[in-house]
Amino acid sequence: MKTAKPATTPPAPPAVELRVPTDEDALDWHRVFNDPEVMRFLGKPPAELSVYEELTARQRRHHAELGYCLYTLLDPVDGAVIGFTGAQPWPRDWGPVGEIEIGWRLGRAYWGRGYATAAAEAALASVRAAGVRHVVAVVDARNERSMAVTRRLGMRRAETVIPPGQNRTAYCHRLEL
C-alpha cells in the first residue's frame, strides 16, 4: 500500500525591505552591480559611479513627484544593499515610450532566492497607490531568471523589442493593475 505524500506548501516569500534611494546608495549600487554577470543581459558593461549618482537622484525625484521609483532593496538580515526594484517612466526613446516600467536588479549573491519577485510585488503596491493602471517590463530574451519573475508577477508577453544598435532581442511584458 502506498502512503500518500503530505501536501507541501510553497515556501513563504522572503521578507524584503525597500526604501527610497539615498545619496549613499549610489556607491552601494555601483558596488553590487559592478559585475559583468549582473549586467550581462542589460546590453552594457558595469557603469561608473557617476551613473548611479545620477540614477539615485532621479529616483528620489520620481518618488517625490510620482509616488514611486526604483527603490533600494535591503537584505532583511543585515540591512546591506542587495539591489533595487520598483518602477519608473520608461527612460528611452525606443520600446514602450510613455509607459511605466517595473524592473529589478540584484547582486549575484541574492539570485534564485525569491527576492526579485517579493520586492517587485511590494513595489507594485506603491505603483497601484499612485494610480498607475498598467506596467511593462522589458526583458532580454535570454534572461530566463527575469522572465520567470515576470511570469510569477502575472505579466504577459506582449511584443518583441529590438534595442537600437544592439544585437539582441527583448520581450515587453505587460501587467494590468
Side-chain angles (χ1 to χ4, degrees):
M1 180 175 191
K2 288 186 177 180
T3 305
K5 289 184 180 180
T8 58
T9 56
V16 294
E17 183 179 343
L18 302 177
R19 74 167 179 227
V20 175
T22 64
D23 285 331
E24 295 79 22
D25 288 343
L27 183 59
D28 290 320
W29 287 10
H30 179 258
R31 177 186 47 78
V32 172
F33 305 144
N34 192 21
D35 177 341
E37 275 301 299
V38 170
M39 301 301 288
R40 178 176 170 205
F41 297 116
L42 297 175
K44 53 190 167 189
E48 298 296 322
L49 176 59
S50 61
V51 170
Y52 294 108
E53 290 169 337
E54 191 282 327
L55 181 59
T56 54
R58 184 172 359 118
Q59 298 312 312
R60 287 190 296 278
R61 284 191 308 276
H62 286 331
H63 190 267
E65 295 168 5
L66 305 172
Y68 56 86
C69 66
L70 293 176
Y71 296 97
T72 295
L73 175 57
L74 304 171
D75 184 312
V77 175
D78 64 11
V81 172
I82 64 174
F84 66 61
T85 192
Q88 65 177 350
W90 178 254
R92 296 168 189 86
D93 60 1
W94 56 269
V97 175
E99 303 276 1
I100 304 303
E101 171 196 32
I102 185 166
W104 46 87
R105 189 182 315 166
L106 278 68
R108 193 174 356 165
Y110 295 91
W111 292 359
R113 297 163 67 184
Y115 288 112
T117 302
E121 288 172 343
L124 283 173
S126 64
V127 174
R128 280 186 191 99
V132 174
R133 299 290 174 241
H134 65 273
V135 294
V136 298
V138 177
V139 179
D140 186 291
R142 301 164 298 167
N143 189 342
E144 184 49 43
R145 289 180 185 276
S146 281
M147 299 280 263
V149 173
T150 66
R151 288 189 297 271
R152 287 191 290 271
L153 293 174
M155 300 185 91
R156 64 174 178 75
R157 189 166 96 188
E159 63 236 23
T160 300
V161 178
I162 308 295
Q166 299 182 27
N167 188 21
R168 65 187 184 103
T169 300
Y171 298 128
C172 180
H173 298 81
R174 297 184 179 278
L175 177 66
E176 297 299 320
L177 303 175

